[in-house]
């Protein structure tokens, strides 16, 4: 069966410090990967998605970046955190389409999340 | 482009009462539809999904949803709620033709079950 891991579970960082959040998926190959953020009392905001190693698409311009160094590893980074970066960060994966042109199944499976507080 | 509107930000209900969480979507093409639940400080868990076929979809924890193409709705229902159903619920839509698998989420509905 497939599992998705995120770490750390919680993080408290000062403004201006760097950030690295990691997400790994087990039990599947060639997944689509996603990073979301939930600010307090708000919905989900898609930050980045990736359809393959080294392929990153950004949804919104911001202080964050993402990388996919391995097939099942997705990393969210920042060089200098802002107060507005505080939130709950969720990683998710979905199956890749099995045949060209048919698209993917689109159901996403979410990790447990990382609570980031920037002070 | 697709969009999702969850009509109620908060739904208070007493335990054992029925509940309906409303979701409307906008799309010029056929869509896949999903309901997710999020318990405090946890990730999202899939409740149910509509891909094609029967418009009444049954999910986990006694929830069901009905796809109504003419009204572009996908409302979530449960005949009798429990305290443990207190959570945030998200409706989402995706384009079956998409290779990216991106989901468009609604803003969420907080279900508050009172004893």
């Amino acid at each position: 069966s497939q599992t998705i891991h995120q770490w750390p579970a919680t993080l408290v960082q000062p403004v201006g410090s760097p950030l690295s959040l990691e997400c790994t998926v087990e039990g599947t190959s060639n997944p689509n990967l996603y990073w979301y953020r939930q600010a307090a009392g708000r919905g989900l905001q898609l930050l980045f998605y990736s359809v393959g190693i080294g392929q990153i698409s950004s949804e919104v311009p911001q202080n964050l970046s993402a990388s996919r160094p391995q097939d099942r590893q997705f990393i969210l980074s920042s060089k200098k955190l802002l107060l507005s970066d505080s939130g709950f960060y969720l990683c998710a994966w979905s199956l890749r389409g099995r045949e060209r042109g048919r698209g993917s199944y689109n159901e996403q499976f979410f990790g447990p999340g990382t609570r980031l507080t920037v002070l | 482009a697709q969009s999702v509107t969850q009509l109620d930000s908060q739904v208070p209900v007493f335990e054992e009462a029925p509940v309906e969480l409303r979701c409307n979507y906008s799309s010029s093409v056929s869509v896949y539809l999903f309901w997710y639940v999020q318990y405090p400080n946890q990730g999202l868990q899939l409740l149910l999904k509509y891909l094609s076929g029967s418009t009444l979809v049954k999910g986990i924890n006694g929830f069901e949803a009905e796809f109504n193409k003419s009204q572009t709705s996908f409302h979530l229902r449960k005949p009798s709620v429990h305290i443990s159903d207190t959570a945030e619920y998200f409706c989402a839509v995706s384009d079956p033709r998409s290779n990216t698998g991106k989901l468009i989420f609604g803003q969420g509905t907080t279900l508050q079950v009172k004893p």
Side-chain angles (χ1 to χ4, degrees):
Chain A
S1 63
Q2 302 90 1
T3 55
I4 177 169
H5 304 279
Q6 285 186 246
W7 63 87
T10 60
L11 191 61
V12 180
Q13 292 285 95
V15 170
S17 64
L19 172 74
S20 181
L21 302 181
E22 190 165 341
C23 170
T24 58
V25 181
E26 297 177 353
T28 189
S29 57
N30 303 316
N32 292 330
L33 296 170
Y34 313 86
W35 276 114
Y36 292 87
R37 177 171 61 200
Q38 274 185 304
R42 303 183 68 178
L44 291 159
Q45 180 185 33
L46 179 63
L47 303 175
F48 302 94
Y49 67 92
S50 171
V51 298
I53 296 174
Q55 301 179 58
I56 308 296
S57 297
S58 174
E59 286 293 290
V60 292
Q62 60 202 315
N63 186 43
L64 301 169
S65 62
S67 61
R68 184 171 178 172
Q70 300 180 41
D71 180 47
R72 291 169 291 174
Q73 184 185 31
F74 206 22
I75 297 173
L76 185 69
S77 305
S78 174
K79 292 182 179 178
K80 290 185 177 181
L81 283 168
L82 305 173
L83 286 174
S84 57
D85 291 324
S86 292
F88 192 51
Y89 288 82
L90 290 161
C91 181
W93 71 273
S94 70
L95 289 169
R96 191 85 59 81
R98 295 176 181 174
E99 298 180 32
R100 178 185 285 277
R102 291 192 63 185
S104 73
Y105 294 105
N106 295 3
E107 174 182 344
Q108 292 185 14
F109 302 91
F110 285 79
T114 295
R115 175 74 59 190
L116 172 66
T117 303
V118 182
L119 301 174
Chain B
Q2 290 129 359
S3 66
V4 178
T5 302
Q6 291 184 240
L7 298 162
D8 307 295
S9 59
Q10 293 188 344
V11 174
V13 63
F14 287 105
E15 193 174 18
E16 298 184 4
V19 70
E20 178 180 83
L21 306 184
R22 297 180 293 168
C23 173
N24 284 90
Y25 68 93
S26 174
S27 177
S28 58
V29 298
S30 296
V31 295
Y32 291 155
L33 292 156
F34 306 86
W35 275 101
Y36 284 86
V37 61
Q38 184 182 30
Y39 299 104
N41 295 310
Q42 295 186 25
L44 276 68
Q45 179 183 5
L46 182 71
L47 276 177
L48 48 79
K49 61 188 175 187
Y50 173 79
L51 305 180
S52 65
S54 173
T55 57
L56 183 62
V57 180
K58 294 189 182 298
I60 62 171
N61 301 340
F63 284 94
E64 63 180 33
E66 186 157 17
F67 169 58
N68 188 319
K69 186 175 182 179
S70 62
Q71 296 187 4
T72 60
S73 68
F74 191 53
H75 300 332
L76 181 71
R77 303 185 182 100
K78 186 169 182 178
S80 175
V81 295
H82 302 292
I83 295 289
S84 59
D85 292 321
T86 295
E88 189 83 9
Y89 291 80
F90 292 95
C91 181
V93 64
S94 72
D95 184 345
R97 304 166 304 171
S98 169
N99 288 322
T100 67
K102 287 170 57 178
L103 295 178
I104 307 300
F105 283 91
Q107 283 298 102
T109 298
T110 301
L111 176 63
Q112 301 164 324
V113 181
K114 304 176 181 179

